[in-house]
Amino acid sequence: MTSQKLVVHTDVFLDHLSGERSPSILRIAMSKCLCYTTVFQAIELFSFARTESEFRAVEDSMAAMKLLGLNPKNARKYGELLAAKRKTSDWNILIGGLCVESKLPMLTDRKKDFAGISGLQIVTTQTIVKKKLGRRE
């Protein structure tokens, strides 16, 4: 059995942290896939936290996954993405670029936020809930 690898985007973490869905998409994804996130999601999530318990909840939600960071050798590629002046925010260009460089799809329901990032694969939360990911038949 080969586990699928995914980068978890901020919307999936926020769904998990809100506690509105049980089990959360994050828990479902982690049970089926090897999950990663990026330094950008970590920064964004910590920017939302206001109390010590919220900071701990963010830390706990990321504890079981690897955190992807920028590699200086890819700076040129990120510069080219930013210079293209797409409608995508600079933040999302960096996130999407990191996924492309890592050759990992992103789990998110905000596909339109990443429009125009060539080579970026998006996995929706519907897909993770409905399909048996991580298994090769």
Side-chain angles (χ1 to χ4, degrees):
M1 178 187 334
T2 304
S3 291
Q4 180 172 346
K5 298 177 183 180
L6 292 171
V7 175
V8 178
H9 190 50
T10 307
D11 62 321
V12 177
F13 281 105
L14 292 175
D15 169 75
H16 173 75
L17 292 168
S18 73
E20 293 178 14
R21 189 185 328 216
S22 183
S24 71
I25 298 298
L26 180 62
R27 289 198 188 279
I28 294 168
M30 292 181 76
S31 72
K32 296 179 178 185
C33 304
L34 181 56
C35 294
Y36 296 78
T37 195
T38 75
V39 66
F40 304 111
Q41 273 76 43
I43 292 167
E44 190 171 34
L45 288 166
F46 282 120
S47 77
F48 296 138
R50 297 290 178 259
T51 67
E52 190 56 38
S53 66
E54 289 174 346
F55 282 104
R56 274 194 309 276
V58 169
E59 289 170 346
D60 290 347
S61 70
M62 292 186 295
M65 59 184 72
K66 293 188 186 257
L67 188 72
L68 302 173
L70 291 176
N71 184 328
K73 74 177 184 167
N74 297 321
R76 179 178 177 171
K77 179 66 172 175
Y78 293 109
E80 290 169 358
L81 286 169
L82 289 171
K85 303 285 185 201
R86 293 177 170 85
K87 291 182 181 180
T88 305
S89 75
D90 291 355
W91 193 256
N92 286 338
I93 288 171
L94 293 170
I95 293 166
L98 189 51
C99 291
V100 171
E101 290 297 320
S102 301
K103 296 180 173 78
L104 295 171
M106 184 184 333
L107 175 62
T108 185
D109 278 332
R110 294 171 39 191
K111 184 176 183 172
K112 66 179 170 47
D113 291 352
F114 298 92
I117 300 177
S118 180
L120 177 62
Q121 295 178 305
I122 300 290
V123 175
T124 65
T125 59
Q126 291 282 350
T127 302
I128 205 81
V129 170
K130 291 181 179 179
K131 292 188 177 182
K132 293 185 177 182
L133 296 175
R135 294 181 185 205
R136 290 194 173 179
E137 305 281 332

